[in-house]
Amino acid sequence: MKPLFRPAALLLALLLLLPLSGCAGRVTQRDIQQLQTAVDELRLQNHELSLRLAALEQAAADSAAAQEAAAQAMAPAPAATATPAPAGPYTLAADEICSLLLKNGMPVRTFYRYTESSDPDGLLGTQNGYTSRADFQDSEVEGVLGVVEVFTDTAMATLRSTTLQNAAKSGSIPAEAHRQFDNVLLRFPAAFSEEKLAAYEAAVQQVLGIG
């Protein structure tokens, strides 16, 4: 901190003022002592004022820090961001999905839920098979069936889709269009148009609560 007064400069000013007061050529030791005493007093006052100024600056800094801390304490805590739950696996059975598709306006005319004894592929209830399967007819396309298969997890549904696609490439089964939603696999005949496939995809998403 810079001193408020400069004693040496003040002493020089007082010495220069002596001739103006009629004391030129008559400066005595007493005059010098008086000036020195005055300078010492001013130096002491300057030191005291410096201490007071430093105390005021520290008090101001402490007050500002206290106000900032109080403002932070009163500020509301940021809201916690909820982590969305994973979409699947879905618990609806295959025939329940068909029923909801019908209720949502899709042209599902009839559907049939298979049992372990009636499942044509013999996968229902097996280790790598589906937990439920239902076939449905579309009233706008005669003679073909769509298939809904529900698995325990996504990996099983993906494996099933890959196996069927490879079989179709080899000519073992007719070509199909697949739409997979986590653990739910929908198999559509090749006769379905892209518009119809898109309509079914949107309807299934609504049934499963996706989006």
Side-chain angles (χ1 to χ4, degrees), residues 97-99 101-103 105-111 135-139 200:
I97 293 175
C98 292
S99 177
L101 287 175
L102 177 61
K103 291 181 180 179
M106 294 304 296
V108 176
R109 184 172 61 188
T110 58
F111 54 89
D135 294 357
F136 66 91
Q137 286 185 333
D138 186 294
S139 61
Y200 269 100

Side-chain angles (χ1 to χ4, degrees), residues 17 36 75 108 124-125 153 158 201 211:
L17 288 174
Q36 184 63 48
V108 176
L124 184 60
D153 55 38
T158 302
E201 183 174 0

Side-chain angles (χ1 to χ4, degrees), residues 67-91:
Q67 292 178 358
E68 182 178 358
Q72 291 178 353
M74 295 177 63
T81 302
T83 302
Y90 300 101
T91 57

Side-chain angles (χ1 to χ4, degrees), residues 64-206:
Q67 292 178 358
E68 182 178 358
Q72 291 178 353
M74 295 177 63
T81 302
T83 302
Y90 300 101
T91 57
L92 289 173
D95 61 321
E96 292 175 325
I97 293 175
C98 292
S99 177
L100 290 172
L101 287 175
L102 177 61
K103 291 181 180 179
N104 286 353
M106 294 304 296
V108 176
R109 184 172 61 188
T110 58
F111 54 89
Y112 174 77
R113 178 175 182 173
Y114 289 97
T115 63
E116 293 184 11
S117 58
S118 62
D119 178 23
D121 292 343
L123 295 176
L124 184 60
T126 63
Q127 182 177 0
N128 296 325
Y130 30 77
T131 58
S132 64
R133 169 177 170 169
D135 294 357
F136 66 91
Q137 286 185 333
D138 186 294
S139 61
E140 299 174 352
V141 182
E142 295 293 336
V144 293
L145 295 175
V147 181
V148 181
E149 297 175 347
V150 180
F151 297 80
T152 56
D153 55 38
T154 304
M156 291 295 98
T158 302
L159 177 61
R160 171 66 166 167
S161 178
T162 302
T163 302
L164 291 171
Q165 289 173 357
N166 291 336
K169 290 178 182 179
S170 67
S172 301
I173 63 173
E176 296 179 337
H178 293 176
R179 295 294 185 271
Q180 183 179 341
F181 306 90
D182 203 319
N183 61 312
V184 177
L185 177 64
L186 275 81
R187 301 165 50 192
F188 299 101
F192 277 20
S193 65
E194 288 297 327
E195 291 77 11
K196 182 174 286 293
L197 290 174
Y200 269 100
E201 183 174 0
V204 173
Q205 288 177 333
Q206 185 177 2

